[in-house]
Amino acid sequence: MQLLRAGPSPFVRKVLVTLHETGQFADVEQVDVTASPIEPDSKLIAANPVGKIPALIRADGPTIYDSRVICRFLDARADAGLYPERRLWDTLTLEATADGIMDAAVLMVYEMRFRPEDKVHQPWVEGQWSKVSRALDALNTRWMSHLNGRMDMGHIAIGCALGYLDFRHDARSWRTGRDTLAAWYETFSQRDSMVATKPE
């Protein structure tokens, strides 16, 4: 299998952490592509017509994407139990919350990177951060009992989302006022899978 990836994408990291946690890391060749929203790589477009990463090219079936589909596939392939039936809807909701954080945080980066400086719309940027901030507040107040339980895909996704905030938006100080979530992340970020995939 080949995993199409680019740079420090938090969505790619979510897949990489899943590969580590499920013992499948050696089964997948990582292939770097360009994932620019303006001029995406032709290899990426051939695999995923939307032109987004990650995409997983399989020998025995069509390419699958996005990160949620890939992680669910890898979990089933390894019978790892990262989507436990008993709390499936909570796990999926946490994963969706993390993906929402990552979507907004990546769009903030894109706004600054791909628009001319005089076209950057700061209220739009702040609107994206408001999504992130509300999600972080919800995690800190409503979801800690789940995050303190047995690890599932919700944990992995949230860990990768918070890691991306540190990497790209550290000046926003997401930990302020969210001591419980910050303490959880301090512990989770020390897992071998998180250390091995930390963006540089």
Side-chain angles (χ1 to χ4, degrees):
M1 294 186 291
Q2 290 184 322
L3 179 69
L4 303 188
R5 52 158 297 162
S9 162
F11 297 101
V12 170
R13 189 184 187 193
K14 188 172 71 163
V15 173
L16 295 177
V17 171
T18 302
L19 286 169
H20 277 285
E21 293 286 351
T22 60
Q24 301 178 85
F25 191 79
D27 296 346
V28 176
E29 175 191 359
Q30 296 182 48
V31 179
D32 287 315
V33 295
T34 301
S36 163
I38 298 173
E39 296 180 0
D41 195 302
S42 60
K43 183 176 180 66
L44 177 58
I45 291 291
N48 176 0
V50 178
K52 297 176 75 172
I53 51 169
L56 185 68
I57 300 174
R58 301 178 295 161
D60 59 349
T63 299
I64 58 174
Y65 50 84
D66 57 8
S67 66
R68 284 171 289 194
V69 178
I70 296 171
C71 289
R72 195 72 184 262
F73 167 77
L74 293 172
D75 176 66
R77 185 173 184 261
D79 194 22
L82 292 176
Y83 292 91
E85 190 63 35
R86 184 174 57 82
R87 58 180 192 278
L88 179 61
W89 305 116
D90 290 350
T91 300
L92 291 172
T93 300
L94 268 179
E95 185 179 14
T97 301
D99 284 359
I101 290 171
M102 293 188 283
D103 273 331
V106 167
L107 287 173
M108 291 170 68
V109 172
Y110 280 2
E111 180 73 5
M112 308 303 289
R113 182 175 296 167
F114 292 107
R115 282 188 186 275
E117 188 175 349
D118 63 329
K119 301 288 193 225
V120 171
H121 189 53
Q122 198 59 39
W124 188 89
V125 173
E126 295 307 317
Q128 298 306 311
W129 183 255
S130 292
K131 297 176 188 177
V132 172
S133 185
R134 290 192 300 268
L136 294 173
D137 288 342
L139 292 171
N140 193 63
T141 57
R142 302 179 206 163
W143 288 101
M144 293 313 304
S145 61
H146 186 110
L147 289 174
N148 286 320
R150 182 176 178 272
M151 192 191 73
D152 59 28
M153 186 50 62
H155 296 69
I156 292 173
I158 295 297
C160 292
L162 298 179
Y164 188 73
L165 296 183
D166 278 349
F167 182 68
R168 289 296 193 202
H169 302 291
D170 187 52
R172 298 270 181 170
S173 301
W174 69 262
R175 291 169 176 80
T176 302
R178 304 180 183 102
D179 293 347
T180 307
L181 182 61
W184 173 83
Y185 179 67
E186 181 66 25
T187 299
F188 190 80
S189 65
Q190 298 306 309
R191 293 184 71 88
D192 290 346
S193 61
M194 292 290 288
V195 173
T197 59
K198 186 175 181 179
E200 297 178 358

